[in-house]
Amino acid sequence: ASRPDLVRSVCLLNATPVWGLGLPGWDGRLPAPAVPKQVGRFLFDKIRDFDTIQLYLGQAYSRTEAFDKDLINKIRGCTEGKGGHAAFASIVWSSPSTKLREEGSFSTLVSQLECDVLLLFGDDDEWCKPAYAKHMMNILKERPPPPKQHPAQRYLALSNTGHCPNHEAPQSVAHAVARWVSSTNGSRDQLALIDEGTSSLSFHEPWGDIVMREVEGEELEMLSVSDKVMIKMLA
């Protein structure tokens, strides 16, 4: 948003509208004061517990076959270095971002994007539900056109996929992103992300089949009451 001249397009994979809690008493700049440091240490040790990691993965993934003990051990291994407790405390106490604090909401930042945007969301994501992707698409469609050309916005939905599409549906994501980034600027509105003549595309992953389809038109307006409440809380 600050330097649109440097960005031709972005791909947002299950983009998370909430990050950082902005708790009072500290701005998140290290080193951490005593109380946040101790609270961060306690919470960090709880979250990086093997059982907790498995619980989170079970919520983030659509299929438990898509993650195993090896992935759990790798995630745990990333937490073994020095400074993890303080860094976690900093995340919890920090505002989501300086830009977000200035503008007031994630939705406002989305509306300010001047480049082409591709959304890739898992249909089974319990954390960033597809309803929020629809909300983002509707915001992007209403962007005022920049001086040169109106940017494109596209939304691809992945079946049997949760919050981590790049790991749970790697072939689908690779296909879409490769076509998106290889396209020349100004042609992504008509870009065939899904082969012409078909409404969806299937990919076979080791743990099952993934179907990729484009969400557009009236489907973008199909939101339940609970979806609308969730969007209002996050927006």
mmCIF file with all atom_site columns, all heavy atoms in Angstrom, residues 142-156:
data_model
loop_
_atom_site.group_PDB
_atom_site.id
_atom_site.type_symbol
_atom_site.label_atom_id
_atom_site.label_alt_id
_atom_site.label_comp_id
_atom_site.label_asym_id
_atom_site.label_entity_id
_atom_site.label_seq_id
_atom_site.pdbx_PDB_ins_code
_atom_site.Cartn_x
_atom_site.Cartn_y
_atom_site.Cartn_z
_atom_site.occupancy
_atom_site.B_iso_or_equiv
_atom_site.pdbx_formal_charge
_atom_site.auth_seq_id
_atom_site.auth_comp_id
_atom_site.auth_asym_id
_atom_site.auth_atom_id
_atom_site.pdbx_PDB_model_num
ATOM 1   N N   . GLU A 1 142 ? -14.773 -3.019  -5.682  1.00 0.00 ? 142 GLU A N   1
ATOM 2   C CA  . GLU A 1 142 ? -15.232 -1.641  -5.555  1.00 0.00 ? 142 GLU A CA  1
ATOM 3   C C   . GLU A 1 142 ? -14.076 -0.634  -5.502  1.00 0.00 ? 142 GLU A C   1
ATOM 4   O O   . GLU A 1 142 ? -14.295 0.560   -5.300  1.00 0.00 ? 142 GLU A O   1
ATOM 5   C CB  . GLU A 1 142 ? -16.079 -1.503  -4.282  1.00 0.00 ? 142 GLU A CB  1
ATOM 6   C CG  . GLU A 1 142 ? -17.365 -2.323  -4.332  1.00 0.00 ? 142 GLU A CG  1
ATOM 7   C CD  . GLU A 1 142 ? -18.111 -2.292  -3.009  1.00 0.00 ? 142 GLU A CD  1
ATOM 8   O OE1 . GLU A 1 142 ? -17.599 -1.655  -2.054  1.00 0.00 ? 142 GLU A OE1 1
ATOM 9   O OE2 . GLU A 1 142 ? -19.193 -2.893  -2.928  1.00 0.00 ? 142 GLU A OE2 1
ATOM 10  N N   . ARG A 1 143 ? -12.851 -1.115  -5.709  1.00 0.00 ? 143 ARG A N   1
ATOM 11  C CA  . ARG A 1 143 ? -11.709 -0.195  -5.684  1.00 0.00 ? 143 ARG A CA  1
ATOM 12  C C   . ARG A 1 143 ? -11.827 0.859   -6.779  1.00 0.00 ? 143 ARG A C   1
ATOM 13  O O   . ARG A 1 143 ? -12.208 0.531   -7.908  1.00 0.00 ? 143 ARG A O   1
ATOM 14  C CB  . ARG A 1 143 ? -10.396 -0.960  -5.889  1.00 0.00 ? 143 ARG A CB  1
ATOM 15  C CG  . ARG A 1 143 ? -9.991  -1.850  -4.754  1.00 0.00 ? 143 ARG A CG  1
ATOM 16  C CD  . ARG A 1 143 ? -8.690  -2.566  -5.071  1.00 0.00 ? 143 ARG A CD  1
ATOM 17  N NE  . ARG A 1 143 ? -8.852  -3.577  -6.112  1.00 0.00 ? 143 ARG A NE  1
ATOM 18  C CZ  . ARG A 1 143 ? -7.846  -4.293  -6.618  1.00 0.00 ? 143 ARG A CZ  1
ATOM 19  N NH1 . ARG A 1 143 ? -6.607  -4.088  -6.209  1.00 0.00 ? 143 ARG A NH1 1
ATOM 20  N NH2 . ARG A 1 143 ? -8.074  -5.200  -7.565  1.00 0.00 ? 143 ARG A NH2 1
ATOM 21  N N   . PRO A 1 144 ? -11.500 2.100   -6.466  1.00 0.00 ? 144 PRO A N   1
ATOM 22  C CA  . PRO A 1 144 ? -11.475 3.114   -7.538  1.00 0.00 ? 144 PRO A CA  1
ATOM 23  C C   . PRO A 1 144 ? -10.339 2.806   -8.500  1.00 0.00 ? 144 PRO A C   1
ATOM 24  O O   . PRO A 1 144 ? -9.250  2.418   -8.075  1.00 0.00 ? 144 PRO A O   1
ATOM 25  C CB  . PRO A 1 144 ? -11.230 4.430   -6.787  1.00 0.00 ? 144 PRO A CB  1
ATOM 26  C CG  . PRO A 1 144 ? -10.568 4.009   -5.511  1.00 0.00 ? 144 PRO A CG  1
ATOM 27  C CD  . PRO A 1 144 ? -11.157 2.673   -5.159  1.00 0.00 ? 144 PRO A CD  1
ATOM 28  N N   . PRO A 1 145 ? -10.577 2.957   -9.787  1.00 0.00 ? 145 PRO A N   1
ATOM 29  C CA  . PRO A 1 145 ? -9.522  2.633   -10.758 1.00 0.00 ? 145 PRO A CA  1
ATOM 30  C C   . PRO A 1 145 ? -8.348  3.595   -10.652 1.00 0.00 ? 145 PRO A C   1
ATOM 31  O O   . PRO A 1 145 ? -8.537  4.803   -10.530 1.00 0.00 ? 145 PRO A O   1
ATOM 32  C CB  . PRO A 1 145 ? -10.236 2.778   -12.103 1.00 0.00 ? 145 PRO A CB  1
ATOM 33  C CG  . PRO A 1 145 ? -11.374 3.700   -11.835 1.00 0.00 ? 145 PRO A CG  1
ATOM 34  C CD  . PRO A 1 145 ? -11.801 3.429   -10.423 1.00 0.00 ? 145 PRO A CD  1
ATOM 35  N N   . PRO A 1 146 ? -7.123  3.068   -10.677 1.00 0.00 ? 146 PRO A N   1
ATOM 36  C CA  . PRO A 1 146 ? -5.937  3.936   -10.694 1.00 0.00 ? 146 PRO A CA  1
ATOM 37  C C   . PRO A 1 146 ? -5.815  4.624   -12.047 1.00 0.00 ? 146 PRO A C   1
ATOM 38  O O   . PRO A 1 146 ? -6.566  4.322   -12.980 1.00 0.00 ? 146 PRO A O   1
ATOM 39  C CB  . PRO A 1 146 ? -4.794  2.953   -10.446 1.00 0.00 ? 146 PRO A CB  1
ATOM 40  C CG  . PRO A 1 146 ? -5.311  1.631   -10.917 1.00 0.00 ? 146 PRO A CG  1
ATOM 41  C CD  . PRO A 1 146 ? -6.783  1.643   -10.666 1.00 0.00 ? 146 PRO A CD  1
ATOM 42  N N   . PRO A 1 147 ? -4.866  5.537   -12.186 1.00 0.00 ? 147 PRO A N   1
ATOM 43  C CA  . PRO A 1 147 ? -4.738  6.309   -13.435 1.00 0.00 ? 147 PRO A CA  1
ATOM 44  C C   . PRO A 1 147 ? -4.567  5.455   -14.689 1.00 0.00 ? 147 PRO A C   1
ATOM 45  O O   . PRO A 1 147 ? -5.088  5.787   -15.747 1.00 0.00 ? 147 PRO A O   1
ATOM 46  C CB  . PRO A 1 147 ? -3.496  7.168   -13.183 1.00 0.00 ? 147 PRO A CB  1
ATOM 47  C CG  . PRO A 1 147 ? -3.410  7.274   -11.693 1.00 0.00 ? 147 PRO A CG  1
ATOM 48  C CD  . PRO A 1 147 ? -3.920  5.970   -11.158 1.00 0.00 ? 147 PRO A CD  1
ATOM 49  N N   . LYS A 1 148 ? -3.843  4.325   -14.597 1.00 0.00 ? 148 LYS A N   1
ATOM 50  C CA  . LYS A 1 148 ? -3.514  3.576   -15.803 1.00 0.00 ? 148 LYS A CA  1
ATOM 51  C C   . LYS A 1 148 ? -4.589  2.562   -16.180 1.00 0.00 ? 148 LYS A C   1
ATOM 52  O O   . LYS A 1 148 ? -5.213  2.656   -17.224 1.00 0.00 ? 148 LYS A O   1
ATOM 53  C CB  . LYS A 1 148 ? -2.170  2.868   -15.626 1.00 0.00 ? 148 LYS A CB  1
ATOM 54  C CG  . LYS A 1 148 ? -0.986  3.821   -15.508 1.00 0.00 ? 148 LYS A CG  1
ATOM 55  C CD  . LYS A 1 148 ? 0.326   3.057   -15.402 1.00 0.00 ? 148 LYS A CD  1
ATOM 56  C CE  . LYS A 1 148 ? 1.504   4.019   -15.315 1.00 0.00 ? 148 LYS A CE  1
ATOM 57  N NZ  . LYS A 1 148 ? 2.804   3.293   -15.217 1.00 0.00 ? 148 LYS A NZ  1
ATOM 58  N N   . GLN A 1 149 ? -4.829  1.574   -15.326 1.00 0.00 ? 149 GLN A N   1
ATOM 59  C CA  . GLN A 1 149 ? -5.742  0.495   -15.679 1.00 0.00 ? 149 GLN A CA  1
ATOM 60  C C   . GLN A 1 149 ? -6.353  -0.103  -14.427 1.00 0.00 ? 149 GLN A C   1
ATOM 61  O O   . GLN A 1 149 ? -5.698  -0.218  -13.385 1.00 0.00 ? 149 GLN A O   1
ATOM 62  C CB  . GLN A 1 149 ? -4.994  -0.602  -16.449 1.00 0.00 ? 149 GLN A CB  1
ATOM 63  C CG  . GLN A 1 149 ? -5.897  -1.735  -16.935 1.00 0.00 ? 149 GLN A CG  1
ATOM 64  C CD  . GLN A 1 149 ? -5.132  -2.704  -17.814 1.00 0.00 ? 149 GLN A CD  1
ATOM 65  O OE1 . GLN A 1 149 ? -3.985  -2.468  -18.154 1.00 0.00 ? 149 GLN A OE1 1
ATOM 66  N NE2 . GLN A 1 149 ? -5.786  -3.801  -18.188 1.00 0.00 ? 149 GLN A NE2 1
ATOM 67  N N   . HIS A 1 150 ? -7.628  -0.504  -14.501 1.00 0.00 ? 150 HIS A N   1
ATOM 68  C CA  . HIS A 1 150 ? -8.298  -1.083  -13.349 1.00 0.00 ? 150 HIS A CA  1
ATOM 69  C C   . HIS A 1 150 ? -7.677  -2.447  -13.051 1.00 0.00 ? 150 HIS A C   1
ATOM 70  O O   . HIS A 1 150 ? -7.559  -3.290  -13.934 1.00 0.00 ? 150 HIS A O   1
ATOM 71  C CB  . HIS A 1 150 ? -9.801  -1.234  -13.614 1.00 0.00 ? 150 HIS A CB  1
ATOM 72  C CG  . HIS A 1 150 ? -10.592 -1.358  -12.356 1.00 0.00 ? 150 HIS A CG  1
ATOM 73  N ND1 . HIS A 1 150 ? -10.517 -2.464  -11.545 1.00 0.00 ? 150 HIS A ND1 1
ATOM 74  C CD2 . HIS A 1 150 ? -11.459 -0.508  -11.749 1.00 0.00 ? 150 HIS A CD2 1
ATOM 75  C CE1 . HIS A 1 150 ? -11.306 -2.296  -10.494 1.00 0.00 ? 150 HIS A CE1 1
ATOM 76  N NE2 . HIS A 1 150 ? -11.889 -1.111  -10.595 1.00 0.00 ? 150 HIS A NE2 1
ATOM 77  N N   . PRO A 1 151 ? -7.262  -2.683  -11.795 1.00 0.00 ? 151 PRO A N   1
ATOM 78  C CA  . PRO A 1 151 ? -6.622  -3.954  -11.476 1.00 0.00 ? 151 PRO A CA  1
ATOM 79  C C   . PRO A 1 151 ? -7.609  -5.114  -11.460 1.00 0.00 ? 151 PRO A C   1
ATOM 80  O O   . PRO A 1 151 ? -8.814  -4.925  -11.296 1.00 0.00 ? 151 PRO A O   1
ATOM 81  C CB  . PRO A 1 151 ? -6.043  -3.703  -10.078 1.00 0.00 ? 151 PRO A CB  1
ATOM 82  C CG  . PRO A 1 151 ? -6.934  -2.642  -9.496  1.00 0.00 ? 151 PRO A CG  1
ATOM 83  C CD  . PRO A 1 151 ? -7.327  -1.768  -10.646 1.00 0.00 ? 151 PRO A CD  1
ATOM 84  N N   . ALA A 1 152 ? -7.064  -6.310  -11.627 1.00 0.00 ? 152 ALA A N   1
ATOM 85  C CA  . ALA A 1 152 ? -7.886  -7.519  -11.616 1.00 0.00 ? 152 ALA A CA  1
ATOM 86  C C   . ALA A 1 152 ? -7.956  -8.084  -10.210 1.00 0.00 ? 152 ALA A C   1
ATOM 87  O O   . ALA A 1 152 ? -7.070  -7.881  -9.381  1.00 0.00 ? 152 ALA A O   1
ATOM 88  C CB  . ALA A 1 152 ? -7.291  -8.557  -12.567 1.00 0.00 ? 152 ALA A CB  1
ATOM 89  N N   . GLN A 1 153 ? -9.056  -8.802  -9.930  1.00 0.00 ? 153 GLN A N   1
ATOM 90  C CA  . GLN A 1 153 ? -9.187  -9.538  -8.689  1.00 0.00 ? 153 GLN A CA  1
ATOM 91  C C   . GLN A 1 153 ? -9.880  -10.866 -8.990  1.00 0.00 ? 153 GLN A C   1
ATOM 92  O O   . GLN A 1 153 ? -10.896 -10.905 -9.676  1.00 0.00 ? 153 GLN A O   1
ATOM 93  C CB  . GLN A 1 153 ? -9.956  -8.750  -7.625  1.00 0.00 ? 153 GLN A CB  1
ATOM 94  C CG  . GLN A 1 153 ? -11.335 -8.259  -8.041  1.00 0.00 ? 153 GLN A CG  1
ATOM 95  C CD  . GLN A 1 153 ? -11.277 -6.927  -8.746  1.00 0.00 ? 153 GLN A CD  1
ATOM 96  O OE1 . GLN A 1 153 ? -10.443 -6.081  -8.431  1.00 0.00 ? 153 GLN A OE1 1
ATOM 97  N NE2 . GLN A 1 153 ? -12.178 -6.702  -9.696  1.00 0.00 ? 153 GLN A NE2 1
ATOM 98  N N   . ARG A 1 154 ? -9.291  -11.950 -8.512  1.00 0.00 ? 154 ARG A N   1
ATOM 99  C CA  . ARG A 1 154 ? -9.819  -13.288 -8.758  1.00 0.00 ? 154 ARG A CA  1
ATOM 100 C C   . ARG A 1 154 ? -9.787  -14.080 -7.450  1.00 0.00 ? 154 ARG A C   1
ATOM 101 O O   . ARG A 1 154 ? -8.926  -13.870 -6.595  1.00 0.00 ? 154 ARG A O   1
ATOM 102 C CB  . ARG A 1 154 ? -8.976  -14.019 -9.818  1.00 0.00 ? 154 ARG A CB  1
ATOM 103 C CG  . ARG A 1 154 ? -8.738  -13.236 -11.108 1.00 0.00 ? 154 ARG A CG  1
ATOM 104 C CD  . ARG A 1 154 ? -9.916  -13.269 -12.047 1.00 0.00 ? 154 ARG A CD  1
ATOM 105 N NE  . ARG A 1 154 ? -10.137 -14.584 -12.600 1.00 0.00 ? 154 ARG A NE  1
ATOM 106 C CZ  . ARG A 1 154 ? -9.508  -15.069 -13.681 1.00 0.00 ? 154 ARG A CZ  1
ATOM 107 N NH1 . ARG A 1 154 ? -8.578  -14.342 -14.289 1.00 0.00 ? 154 ARG A NH1 1
ATOM 108 N NH2 . ARG A 1 154 ? -9.787  -16.276 -14.147 1.00 0.00 ? 154 ARG A NH2 1
ATOM 109 N N   . TYR A 1 155 ? -10.731 -15.007 -7.316  1.00 0.00 ? 155 TYR A N   1
ATOM 110 C CA  . TYR A 1 155 ? -10.825 -15.819 -6.103  1.00 0.00 ? 155 TYR A CA  1
ATOM 111 C C   . TYR A 1 155 ? -10.991 -17.284 -6.494  1.00 0.00 ? 155 TYR A C   1
ATOM 112 O O   . TYR A 1 155 ? -11.971 -17.654 -7.131  1.00 0.00 ? 155 TYR A O   1
ATOM 113 C CB  . TYR A 1 155 ? -11.994 -15.323 -5.243  1.00 0.00 ? 155 TYR A CB  1
ATOM 114 C CG  . TYR A 1 155 ? -12.434 -16.218 -4.102  1.00 0.00 ? 155 TYR A CG  1
ATOM 115 C CD1 . TYR A 1 155 ? -11.615 -17.202 -3.551  1.00 0.00 ? 155 TYR A CD1 1
ATOM 116 C CD2 . TYR A 1 155 ? -13.707 -16.056 -3.540  1.00 0.00 ? 155 TYR A CD2 1
ATOM 117 C CE1 . TYR A 1 155 ? -12.030 -17.998 -2.508  1.00 0.00 ? 155 TYR A CE1 1
ATOM 118 C CE2 . TYR A 1 155 ? -14.146 -16.839 -2.490  1.00 0.00 ? 155 TYR A CE2 1
ATOM 119 C CZ  . TYR A 1 155 ? -13.303 -17.820 -1.973  1.00 0.00 ? 155 TYR A CZ  1
ATOM 120 O OH  . TYR A 1 155 ? -13.728 -18.612 -0.936  1.00 0.00 ? 155 TYR A OH  1
ATOM 121 N N   . LEU A 1 156 ? -10.016 -18.097 -6.108  1.00 0.00 ? 156 LEU A N   1
ATOM 122 C CA  . LEU A 1 156 ? -10.062 -19.525 -6.345  1.00 0.00 ? 156 LEU A CA  1
ATOM 123 C C   . LEU A 1 156 ? -10.285 -20.256 -5.026  1.00 0.00 ? 156 LEU A C   1
ATOM 124 O O   . LEU A 1 156 ? -9.586  -20.006 -4.040  1.00 0.00 ? 156 LEU A O   1
ATOM 125 C CB  . LEU A 1 156 ? -8.767  -20.019 -6.986  1.00 0.00 ? 156 LEU A CB  1
ATOM 126 C CG  . LEU A 1 156 ? -8.440  -19.476 -8.376  1.00 0.00 ? 156 LEU A CG  1
ATOM 127 C CD1 . LEU A 1 156 ? -7.099  -20.031 -8.854  1.00 0.00 ? 156 LEU A CD1 1
ATOM 128 C CD2 . LEU A 1 156 ? -9.543  -19.832 -9.379  1.00 0.00 ? 156 LEU A CD2 1
#
